[in-house]
DNA sequence: ACGTTGATTTCGTAA
DNA sequence: TTACGAAGTCAACGT
């Protein structure tokens, strides 16, 4: 990892072209050759960057100015013209052990796949990620009467999710072997507008308690 | 801007919970208080971060270890436990003049507005950003027979874009003065699932060559 | 202030 | 390897 604080001008040409006027910024060069140009504000996204794999070449212009050229396989180029360097340090960071996440949609799907009855009494799982031409249905189930039930799972239930489930239901209900298929929209939190739209379309809403589900899972684990 | 290279452990709790084991990393603290934790790989995205507005509090644990706590208004917290500091520097960057871009969707729309015939032979422009109650249609055109055609433009064509165009078409087709209105889904690249959905709804897909369009435009400029 | 849309999105996972 | 959906997405723009 190399950290450079410098007054610089940056030009990118690739998917689009972008230009940064001369100003003082932080340039981060990672071990894999990728380059990030950060300002003192904004979000975690750099003003300009080059993703790996890429190569950095340090040169000088005909005027004698320092010029870095970063090029990728796909001919994208990032050109950094450096007017003045305020700091330039290198650090050996080693390999990072990586990030551990918890609480994302996938985990919620796993838990609901193991406990479909919490969505609606008597519900049983047919399969997860049930494939259709327009994408997989999160959970395909059957209710106590044997009728098909499509479940769409979100961390936060918004209108997009209801639209998605509606598309699946429309397609699935064309299949004589499955129909009638009803829908359940499951989320940790369901926005009022999404609930209204779902209800209007005959879709059941189910608010899921993630901690309770995880608790059920732990309880089961202890039995074995 | 403050740059710290340190052996640290990071824990985040907010929308999700995430944990980074003890390792050497770069911590970037921006002028607005936002914090980015970078490793020596990956892309421009930090391993962990806190977006502004937020406040950084430097403290010590009961064991005497250095502990930074970053909290946002929405109760998200980022806790950085620092074992050893390798470098700690501050730099005055000033306000950045900002990025200038060219080649994004807006430009694609401008080019297609000038050359609607590349989407479908005989197509002519009625107007760009044609207003409707649920938002503007990118291009409203007429075909050789005089029938209305709504065009939705994306850089990458995915299902969301088809949904958007479908909503417009549904609304436009309620207007006796316009109907029947057909749709064209134009993008530099169209995903298979989006194509399936579009075709199923009677929407034409058009793959657009941005460079070729730009070439046509340059050729025209030379005539004047 | 709030919602919608785009992005050099990046990232993970399944086919 | 590719393709697709999700993201602690972020940021810009219009209402």
């Amino acid at each position: 990892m190399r950290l450079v604080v410098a007054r610089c001008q940056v030009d990118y040409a690739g998917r689009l072209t972008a230009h940064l006027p001369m100003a003082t910024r932080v340039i981060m060069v990672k071990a894999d050759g990728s380059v990030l140009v950060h300002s003192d504000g904004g979000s975690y996204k750099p003003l300009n960057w080059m993703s790996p794999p890429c190569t950095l070449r340090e040169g000088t212009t005909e005027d004698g100015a320092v010029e870095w050229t970063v090029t990728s396989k796909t001919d994208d180029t990032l050109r950094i013209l450096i007017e003045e360097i305020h700091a330039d340090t290198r650090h050996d960071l080693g390999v990072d052990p990586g990030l551990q996440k918890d609480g994302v949609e996938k985990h919620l799907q796993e838990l609901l796949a193991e406990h479909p009855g919490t969505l609606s009494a008597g519900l049983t799982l047919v399969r997860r990620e049930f494939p259709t031409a327009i994408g997989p249905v999160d959970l395909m189930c059957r209710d106590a009467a044997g009728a098909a039930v499509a479940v769409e799972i979100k961390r936060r239930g918004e209108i997009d999710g209801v639209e998605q489930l509606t598309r699946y239901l429309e397609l699935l209900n064309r299949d004589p072997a499955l129909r009638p298929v009803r829908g359940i929209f499951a989320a940790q939190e369901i926005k009022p507008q999404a609930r209204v739209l779902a209800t209007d379309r005959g879709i059941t809403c189910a608010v899921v308690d993630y901690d309770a589900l995880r608790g059920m899972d732990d309880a089961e684990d202890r039995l074995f």
Side-chain angles (χ1 to χ4, degrees), chain A residues 122-140:
Chain A
L123 211 65
T124 54
L125 182 70
V126 174
R127 78 164 281 188
R128 276 176 60 192
E129 301 286 347
F130 182 86
T132 78
I134 56 169
V137 177
D138 288 340
L139 300 183
M140 184 57 78

Side-chain angles (χ1 to χ4, degrees), chain A residues 30-139:
Chain A
K30 295 196 174 186
D32 55 15
S34 59
V35 177
L36 287 63
V37 180
H38 270 280
S39 67
D40 209 340
S43 66
Y44 65 68
K45 194 174 179 177
L47 291 168
N48 229 324
W49 72 94
M50 182 66 77
S51 304
C54 61
T55 52
L56 169 61
R57 191 172 55 80
E58 294 183 55
T60 51
T61 63
E62 44 197 32
D63 309 11
V66 176
E67 183 185 48
W68 291 7
T69 312
V70 192
T71 50
S72 77
K73 301 282 152 82
T74 57
D75 252 9
D76 293 22
T77 58
L78 188 72
R79 188 175 141 275
I80 305 176
L81 194 67
I82 296 176
E83 196 177 76
E84 186 189 1
I85 292 180
H86 297 285
D88 186 352
T89 57
R90 285 164 195 271
H91 308 271
D92 187 6
L93 265 53
V95 176
D96 201 277
L99 187 67
Q100 295 157 24
K101 282 187 186 180
D102 182 29
V104 289
E105 183 189 310
K106 200 192 99 185
H107 200 180
L108 200 59
Q109 191 191 107
E110 287 166 5
L111 289 170
L112 286 173
E114 287 170 38
H115 307 284
T118 57
L119 292 171
S120 176
L123 211 65
T124 54
L125 182 70
V126 174
R127 78 164 281 188
R128 276 176 60 192
E129 301 286 347
F130 182 86
T132 78
I134 56 169
V137 177
D138 288 340
L139 300 183

Side-chain angles (χ1 to χ4, degrees), chain A residues 195-217:
Chain A
R195 184 180 292 274
V196 167
L197 185 65
T199 306
D200 181 63
R201 295 183 175 172
I203 292 169
T204 307
C205 289
V207 175
V208 176
D209 186 332
Y210 179 73
D211 293 327
L213 272 175
R214 197 160 47 183
M216 290 173 68
D217 226 48

Side-chain angles (χ1 to χ4, degrees), chain A residues 159 162-164 166-167 169 196-203:
Chain A
I159 280 183
V162 180
E163 291 288 7
Q164 195 179 339
T166 304
R167 288 197 299 273
L169 288 171
V196 167
L197 185 65
T199 306
D200 181 63
R201 295 183 175 172
I203 292 169

